Amino acid sequence: MPRFLHTADWQMGRTYSRFETEDGAALVEARFEAIEKLARLANEHQCQAVLVAGDVFDAQTVSDRTIRRVFNATRAFPGPWVMLPGNHDAALAESVWTRAQRLGAVPDNVHLALEPGVIELAAEGLAILNAPLTQRHTYGDLTEAFGRYETPAGLVRVGLAHGSVQGLLAGEIDSTNPIAPDRAQASKLDYLALGDWHGTKEINERTWYSGTPEPERFRNNEAGNALIVDISGPGELPQVQVVATGRYQWHQWRETLSVDSDLDQLLERLQNLPESSVVDLRLDGLITLAGEEKLQHGLSVAEARFRSIRCERSNLQLAPTDDDIAALKADGYVGDVIETLREQQAGEQGEVARDALAILASMLKTPAQEAGQ
């Protein structure tokens, strides 16, 4: 009974310039660790093969070191790997794949599906029908050829492709590289292994996107998995097991603060996240000076715990209460300045006014506290 691991969209060579240098380096390293984990999973689940449905590399211009590290990371699984070019690493006349071959980096057990056709893995009971992208964007369904491919009797027919299943993905997905939603049935495939959609998604009982094994964006679409697929024989339905592979969890929150309890709930949610979190937080609404201090403390704690946390607060207005002002002992001219800055937060220089108000409050706070001791 053939059993294989389906994965895709490794995007090796991706950079994370929006993050701090240390965090970006850790996110890059996690992608190499993901390949090593896939190899271990293939061994643990006694898979006959690993199928990679495109975008092994993020670009044609990745470094030679990245190329070598990718193939080195596969070595723990000695069975066959089949790697398909996707839109980021299309099989051009001169490509990252031809460079890998010139470097002598491709192990003997790794099959590069650089041309349309069939890769027969007879010992494993598999016939892999390939539709590699030979350019970044195509407008015809390359998997249509699967219906014309003959495969030996007794071998399970598995399609391997990279693109967008028409009419079934989210509206913003790229419409290029189309794939017919009934391709598996029309071409008598036992299973169609797809890449391009970075989350795990079942199209139908024979057609799946595995998603990327290590999340790399904040879109909540079930990324960070691989699929273990069992097919008892030609014509039989596949049994698909979703296996978690991701190291880091990406969270993107958009929160509006209105009352003190909103802030308390936000900080509690942050505290409950695991240390492997990558958090993008955007806040708007109103916050008191006391709340601002509490928020700053909470973010400081989170920065030390999480892999990364970024908080955009330009639309979060400071709204000092009467108690805030009284605690600062800000009267006379200083009180007038505070009131002016409160009003200016709603104007074109709102972010500047907000920062100025926060700085002024912090400057006033220490002497005020000392005077009260």
Side-chain angles (χ1 to χ4, degrees):
M1 176 175 67
R3 173 182 295 166
F4 57 88
L5 186 150
H6 168 199
T7 181
D9 299 293
W10 295 356
Q11 311 295 147
M12 302 308 297
R14 177 182 286 272
T15 58
Y16 297 90
S17 57
R18 64 176 295 189
F19 293 91
E20 297 292 336
T21 301
E22 178 184 349
D23 296 330
L27 295 174
V28 168
E29 196 62 27
R31 306 197 76 75
F32 288 103
E33 294 172 359
I35 303 175
E36 296 169 348
K37 184 168 187 177
L38 292 172
R40 292 195 302 272
L41 285 172
N43 285 322
E44 292 168 6
H45 288 268
Q46 300 180 329
C47 293
Q48 277 76 54
V50 176
L51 309 184
V52 191
D55 282 359
V56 170
F57 298 99
D58 192 54
Q60 304 285 4
T61 54
V62 300
S63 68
D64 290 354
R65 181 172 184 269
T66 294
I67 292 173
R68 292 185 186 279
R69 288 195 66 191
V70 165
F71 290 108
N72 286 344
T74 68
R75 293 186 183 277
F77 176 66
W81 297 68
V82 180
M83 295 186 179
L84 183 86
N87 59 310
H88 282 260
D89 54 8
L92 310 176
E94 176 61 30
S95 70
V96 63
W97 303 104
T98 56
R99 188 148 51 95
Q101 291 172 320
R102 285 198 304 272
L103 290 170
V106 185
D108 292 340
N109 63 319
V110 175
H111 303 264
L112 303 184
L114 303 184
E115 297 180 357
V118 180
I119 294 176
E120 294 182 13
L121 303 177
E124 291 75 22
L126 294 168
I128 312 301
L129 290 68
N130 305 296
L133 291 176
T134 56
Q135 57 191 37
R136 187 175 178 88
H137 298 304
T138 62
Y139 297 92
D141 185 352
L142 300 181
T143 66
E144 186 178 2
F146 288 172
R148 301 190 293 272
Y149 293 164
E150 298 292 335
T151 55
L155 296 187
V156 169
R157 285 169 61 91
V158 177
L160 192 61
H162 190 90
S164 172
V165 173
Q166 298 300 283
L168 296 179
L169 297 180
E172 68 270 16
I173 191 69
D174 195 341
S175 61
T176 58
N177 309 320
I179 297 172
D182 64 345
R183 177 56 56 215
Q185 178 182 9
S187 297
K188 296 182 173 58
L189 302 177
D190 297 302
Y191 183 82
L192 178 55
L194 297 178
D196 194 32
W197 183 251
H198 283 209
T200 302
K201 187 173 183 65
E202 179 183 8
I203 300 301
N204 55 55
E205 57 192 2
R206 295 189 185 275
T207 305
W208 284 72
Y209 285 95
S210 66
T212 180
E214 180 63 34
E216 88 295 354
R217 60 181 69 169
F218 289 105
R219 183 180 297 168
N220 183 19
N221 62 350
E222 302 300 324
N225 300 309
L227 303 178
I228 304 295
V229 183
D230 285 283
I231 306 177
S232 59
E236 300 298 323
L237 287 176
Q239 303 298 313
V240 181
Q241 178 184 355
V242 179
V243 181
T245 55
R247 176 176 179 181
Y248 294 115
Q249 300 178 18
W250 293 54
H251 304 273
Q252 189 174 56
W253 296 350
R254 302 293 181 258
E255 304 290 333
T256 298
L257 304 183
S258 301
V259 295
D260 291 344
S261 59
D262 293 337
L263 177 60
D264 292 336
Q265 291 172 10
L266 170 64
L267 295 177
E268 183 178 359
R269 288 175 63 199
L270 284 175
Q271 187 175 2
N272 290 333
L273 289 178
E275 294 182 1
S276 58
S277 296
V278 178
V279 182
D280 179 61
L281 185 60
R282 182 170 298 171
L283 303 179
D284 60 30
L286 302 173
I287 191 169
T288 66
L289 291 180
E292 172 76 4
E293 182 180 2
K294 185 186 292 187
L295 175 61
Q296 289 279 20
H297 175 74
L299 292 175
S300 178
V301 171
E303 286 174 353
R305 287 188 59 231
F306 298 155
R307 176 68 272 167
S308 173
I309 182 169
R310 298 165 60 90
C311 183
E312 169 58 52
R313 294 184 291 162
S314 60
N315 291 324
L316 181 63
Q317 293 191 18
L318 280 174
T321 64
D322 291 340
D323 290 340
D324 288 331
I325 302 300
L328 294 175
K329 301 188 184 304
D331 51 13
Y333 173 74
V334 175
D336 292 340
V337 171
I338 289 177
E339 185 60 32
T340 299
L341 291 173
R342 291 172 65 176
E343 295 173 355
Q344 289 182 348
Q345 288 184 96
E348 294 182 359
Q349 299 297 317
E351 187 173 356
V352 175
R354 182 196 185 283
D355 291 343
L357 182 55
I359 292 170
L360 178 57
S362 67
M363 292 173 64
L364 292 172
K365 184 182 178 198
T366 299
Q369 288 181 329
E370 290 176 350
Q373 291 178 348

